[in-house]
Amino acid sequence: MAANSKAIRFLLHRYLISSWASKSRRSASAIGVLLPVLGVSIGVFAFTVVLSVMGGFVTNIKSHLLNMQAHIEVVAIERGKQIPENKDLMQQIQSISSEILAISPYQSGDVILQSGSRGAMARLEGIDPALAEGTLSLQKYLSEDITLNILNRKLPAENITKSDLFPTVIVTLDLMNLLGLHVGDSLTLVSTIPDDGIGGLAPTQFPVMIAGYISSGNFSFNQKRVISSLKITNQFFQYEKSWLGLQLKIKSPLEADKISQKLNKILKPMGLRAKPWTESNSALLKVLTLERFGMSFVMLMIILVGCFSISISLLLTIRRKSNEMAILRSLGFEQSDLSKLFLWQGFLIGFAGVIIGLALGGVALYCIHNYQIPFITTSYSSKPLPVLIDIYEIVFISFGSIFLAMLAAVWPAIEVRNLDVIEVLSVRN
Amino acid sequence: MIAVQVDNLHKTYKVGEGILNALAGISFKINRGEVVAVVGESGSGKSTLLHILGTLDSPSSGKILIDGKNPFEKRDKSVSTFRNLHIGFVFQHNNLLPEFNALENTMMPGLIAGFPEKTVKEKAKILLKKVGLTKRELHFPSQLSGGEQQRVAIARSLINDPILLLADEPSGNLDSKNASHIHELFQEINQSLKSTVLVVTHNKEFAASLPRRIRLRDGHILSDEQNS
Ligand SMILES: Nc1ncnc2c1ncn2[C@@H]1O[C@H](COP(=O)(O)OP(=O)(O)OP(=O)(O)O)[C@@H](O)[C@H]1O
Ligand SMILES: [Mg+2]
């Protein structure tokens, strides 16, 4: 028969909680209980806050990515090969899966932008303004008063006195700033490949007018994009009616890989393939995953250090309380009862650490999410930070920490078994 | 009725190259309700004998029977249970758990055994009254004098109605007045509760006042005197 669990509970309660009431034992309790609890709670606090802020950051990046890009692109298997315009193909692809919400053709290629003495490399993207409304969610990033439809129009440029009408483009805000231009200004698209036509090796020059800009706020990736209509782009690149590919919008972007596989079965024989957004951004996604992994590792180390402090404190407790442990043995405690006493201390210290860490983390995340905090906010964005609390992650961190805390108590639990009762009694007698 | 039977008990320690016979073949019997003093010079093996009888230590060879049972036939688990239910200990000093008050200290063996808290508490109060500490129930060890602490330890040793009460120099740390108080207490307990008591003491008067004395020397029984 093991010692009654009630007796163990009684001891635990006294050692961990009510010993605080006694002035003479308070400092021992502080070292034995408070410090390891704080150790664990700091780890849990840091873990939840950092992962949640990073989670918010990543989700934000992904949602911007998914708004500014197609979820899936269908392109020729042969890299860069043009696909002749083919309305039937669009319908055919859309009929493959009910997951596909919209489909639109696009063209894309490198371009040099020139304005006065300034120049820049950029990516020229041609879209079908009407159809692209369905596949891209660019609208909320566009400068006020314009829609993609403006790309169908020709407008006069403000910085040129000749009242010619120019094809319109939408550029990213970064690019506009780089070239020192404003909405309404004109600029020249210059091809990167020399024109091998009759005129010799001169590059194609193509004046256009900036009808608006795209700004993605804090997340300015793909900073150098010029968007124009499919027709204009084809004209610039001197293609007949053709596409580089099709852009697809799907119901659940996170399923893009799966749907792409399904599409590929049918597309492959046609010399086409589906490219999910995860593939197009694999480098970025890999970096984000790696960063998250690295952060988790560092945070785990903090929790581990906290758990080490549990080991240390409990091992010291064995030294400090060896006389009491021997008395308990003389009163009928088994070795395993002493072990239990220490495992429970590890568990309870870990548990308290997790609860306190989560509470502090919750408060911190609430503040980060709702208030502008100097230092954190300014270096990153002017608004409060986005926060994403992943409940599974929190549960995992909590149980993991408690598990580690118990693991930290295993060593003391084994050590206390080896307590030599006779030796302790002889030394003091 | 024989409470304790010891047959050819040996306890040897390895010390450096050689071996030391702390107990070199000891045999005796103690009847139920007897109070026996164990005396002898320092290092004669008194504590060793007490620890083995109390199942805290195990014999190198030989046999002990307590209430007809050999506690060492069992594994550690049941040895601890045996100790909890049938053995009461009082050591020289520092017997008490400092985080618990006198009443809680007295209750502890009963709680470890898993007896209902209420009954254990009532019984602890009765025992504390018997040792004259009713007013000190809620005091912590640090608030009690050495003599009072020993009295709490005696009350605690009796809470589970042990077959055998073992005391190792229970008054060794006390002044003569407190010591004689403790000595009286042992005789009183023996008379009122009919407990079997084995008490190690250096106090000649106390030893002489008890009905039987086992004298040890170098691990042997030198004499076993009984007042007739
Ligand atoms: N763990 C041990 N290792 C080696 N020798 C030991 C050990 N424990 C006790 N001894 C020896 O056994 C002998 C008996 O010791 P014990 O403690 O029983 O003496 P004692 O009669 O209680 O003495 P005292 O009156 O001083 O308390 C001593 O010589 C002691 O040195
Ligand atoms: Mg001794």
Side-chain angles (χ1 to χ4, degrees):
Chain A
M1 182 198 75
N4 195 269
S5 56
K6 223 171 173 179
I8 293 180
R9 271 210 302 277
F10 193 29
L11 285 160
L12 283 170
H13 185 267
R14 201 46 63 86
Y15 287 163
L16 296 177
I17 298 164
S18 42
S19 60
W20 290 93
S22 151
K23 266 194 195 130
S24 56
R25 277 185 293 280
R26 201 170 289 156
S27 69
S29 303
I31 296 164
V33 180
L34 189 66
L35 290 186
V37 165
L38 280 182
V40 175
S41 56
I42 288 170
V44 170
F45 165 79
F47 213 138
T48 39
V49 170
V50 168
L51 278 197
S52 300
V53 169
M54 261 180 73
F57 180 72
V58 170
T59 320
N60 231 316
I61 288 183
K62 281 188 185 165
S63 87
H64 282 275
L65 273 180
L66 290 171
N67 285 334
M68 312 251 302
Q69 302 182 345
H71 298 166
I72 296 177
E73 289 174 358
V74 172
V75 290
I77 291 176
E78 190 182 320
R79 225 183 129 90
K81 194 183 168 209
Q82 293 286 312
I83 306 167
E85 190 179 298
N86 181 352
K87 293 262 153 63
D88 295 341
L89 179 64
M90 278 171 60
Q91 280 187 349
Q92 197 187 341
I93 290 175
Q94 185 145 25
S95 67
I96 295 174
S97 168
S98 59
E99 271 279 332
I100 300 171
L101 297 175
I103 185 163
S104 70
Y106 79 99
Q107 185 60 267
S108 171
D110 291 333
V111 67
I112 298 167
L113 306 181
Q114 201 195 324
S115 166
S117 58
R118 301 196 199 193
M121 282 288 289
R123 185 149 200 89
L124 176 62
E125 296 170 30
I127 57 171
D128 181 317
L131 291 176
E133 295 272 359
T135 51
L136 302 174
S137 310
L138 281 177
Q139 187 57 50
K140 66 173 169 178
Y141 304 107
L142 290 182
S143 49
E144 287 163 39
D145 304 333
I146 64 161
T147 63
L148 289 179
N149 261 327
I150 204 162
L151 296 175
N152 284 331
R153 295 172 60 190
K154 288 193 170 190
L155 294 170
E158 283 169 14
N159 59 346
I160 292 181
T161 37
K162 280 192 288 175
S163 58
D164 287 348
L165 292 181
F166 296 106
T168 47
V169 294
I170 295 171
V171 300
T172 49
L173 186 59
D174 288 319
L175 203 51
M176 206 163 74
N177 292 337
L178 188 69
L179 294 170
L181 294 173
H182 304 278
V183 174
D185 289 346
S186 86
L187 63 88
T188 310
L189 305 181
V190 182
S191 68
T192 55
I193 310 155
D195 182 1
D196 55 355
I198 302 157
L201 293 176
T204 314
Q205 303 220 356
F206 202 100
V208 292
M209 177 269 188
I210 301 174
Y213 62 86
I214 310 172
S215 161
S216 57
N218 314 318
F219 303 95
S220 33
F221 37 82
N222 275 354
Q223 296 152 338
K224 297 180 178 176
R225 290 169 81 182
V226 180
I227 300 176
S228 72
S229 73
L230 190 59
K231 203 173 118 199
I232 296 296
T233 312
N234 272 341
Q235 227 172 315
F236 173 74
F237 287 123
Q238 299 178 343
Y239 295 133
E240 292 306 314
K241 287 185 170 178
S242 76
W243 310 327
L244 182 64
L246 292 162
Q247 298 181 314
L248 274 56
K249 182 178 182 136
I250 54 178
K251 257 187 228 161
S252 22
L254 297 180
E255 304 278 297
D257 287 352
K258 234 197 263 169
I259 296 164
S260 296
Q261 277 172 16
K262 189 174 168 190
L263 292 177
N264 273 334
K265 278 191 196 125
I266 295 164
L267 293 175
K268 280 265 161 71
M270 307 197 294
L272 299 175
R273 72 182 197 96
K275 201 169 125 190
W277 68 278
T278 47
E279 186 186 323
S280 318
N281 298 288
S282 63
L284 176 65
L285 293 175
K286 251 182 217 152
V287 167
L288 291 176
T289 314
L290 202 68
E291 193 178 0
R292 194 174 182 73
F293 182 78
M295 278 296 181
S296 304
F297 187 75
V298 172
M299 297 304 144
L300 187 72
M301 288 299 134
I302 298 182
I303 292 183
L304 269 183
V305 170
C307 289
F308 267 122
S309 72
I310 295 181
S311 294
I312 294 167
S313 123
L314 292 183
L315 286 171
L316 286 177
T317 305
I318 295 177
R319 292 263 167 291
R320 195 159 51 84
K321 290 192 173 294
S322 63
N323 182 43
E324 289 151 71
M325 300 298 119
I327 291 171
L328 284 170
R329 289 279 281 140
S330 82
L331 298 181
F333 246 52
E334 291 163 16
Q335 287 177 324
S336 63
D337 291 325
L338 291 182
S339 292
K340 256 188 239 164
L341 195 61
F342 279 83
L343 285 178
W344 272 105
Q345 287 187 62
F347 171 78
L348 292 172
I349 287 173
F351 189 75
V354 165
I355 297 295
I356 293 174
L358 288 182
L360 291 178
V363 172
L365 287 175
Y366 179 84
C367 294
I368 290 173
H369 192 54
N370 290 289
Y371 303 103
Q372 270 181 285
I373 297 167
F375 299 115
I376 306 180
T377 11
T378 46
S379 67
Y380 171 65
S381 90
S382 55
K383 283 180 234 144
L385 294 187
V387 162
L388 181 91
I389 296 172
D390 183 338
I391 202 74
Y392 291 108
E393 221 162 63
I394 301 290
V395 168
F396 181 76
I397 294 170
S398 305
F399 279 94
S401 305
I402 293 174
F403 175 74
L404 286 179
M406 287 190 73
L407 213 58
V410 167
W411 181 7
I414 290 171
E415 192 71 22
V416 77
R417 287 182 82 95
N418 298 330
L419 183 91
D420 189 335
V421 184
I422 300 299
E423 196 185 306
V424 175
L425 292 176
S426 307
V427 166
R428 52 178 228 138
N429 264 359
Chain B
M1 271 279 288
I2 293 172
V4 179
Q5 184 174 348
V6 177
D7 281 328
N8 200 20
L9 183 64
H10 284 264
K11 181 73 187 181
T12 51
Y13 292 109
K14 265 202 193 112
V15 182
E17 302 278 288
I19 54 165
L20 186 139
N21 282 308
L23 294 175
I26 279 183
S27 306
F28 62 87
K29 287 182 184 135
I30 298 176
N31 289 323
R32 268 223 158 161
E34 249 189 303
V35 195
V36 181
V38 178
V39 295
E41 288 160 13
S42 186
S44 56
K46 305 182 296 293
S47 295
T48 307
L49 174 65
L50 230 69
H51 292 154
I52 293 175
L53 286 176
T55 72
L56 281 174
D57 208 352
S58 53
S60 301
S61 72
K63 199 170 84 175
I64 68 164
L65 293 175
I66 292 168
D67 212 21
K69 289 180 279 268
N70 180 354
F72 295 109
E73 270 173 0
K74 305 159 183 177
R75 286 173 295 123
D76 172 63
K77 277 200 168 195
S78 15
V79 173
S80 297
T81 306
F82 185 91
R83 182 160 63 240
N84 172 246
L85 293 176
H86 304 308
I87 308 285
F89 274 110
V90 179
F91 301 108
Q92 191 171 345
H93 56 83
N94 285 342
N95 276 291
L96 304 182
L97 303 169
E99 269 96 354
F100 298 85
N101 64 31
L103 185 64
E104 290 161 345
N105 260 293
T106 309
M107 289 167 68
M108 196 55 76
L111 297 180
I112 292 173
F115 297 137
E117 199 178 326
K118 217 179 132 201
T119 8
V120 175
K121 196 172 197 164
E122 277 166 16
K123 195 159 170 199
K125 285 187 170 185
I126 293 170
L127 287 168
L128 283 174
K129 189 176 175 194
K130 204 176 206 65
V131 300
L133 288 177
T134 299
K135 286 189 186 145
R136 301 294 213 146
E137 275 176 4
L138 301 181
H139 289 207
F140 286 85
S142 59
Q143 299 165 319
L144 298 171
S145 74
E148 286 162 344
Q149 289 184 34
Q150 289 306 81
R151 283 190 267 158
V152 175
I154 291 169
R156 181 182 63 189
S157 71
L158 296 168
I159 190 94
N160 285 349
D161 296 322
I163 299 167
L164 185 60
L165 177 55
L166 299 168
D168 197 348
E169 299 181 43
S171 58
N173 254 34
L174 304 176
D175 58 56
S176 57
K177 196 178 145 220
N178 273 296
S180 54
H181 193 143
I182 295 292
H183 299 154
E184 283 161 24
L185 205 53
F186 270 103
Q187 282 165 331
E188 212 179 286
I189 284 163
N190 171 246
Q191 272 151 32
S192 63
L193 300 176
K194 303 276 172 278
S195 313
T196 312
V197 183
L198 205 73
V199 54
V200 172
T201 182
H202 283 296
N203 189 305
K204 290 196 176 76
E205 274 175 57
F206 179 41
S209 74
L210 294 179
R212 183 178 169 192
R213 285 162 300 285
I214 294 178
R215 188 173 300 276
L216 297 184
R217 178 176 291 170
D218 298 335
H220 296 280
I221 293 184
L222 189 67
S223 66
D224 189 343
E225 312 160 10
Q226 217 145 348
N227 294 358
S228 43

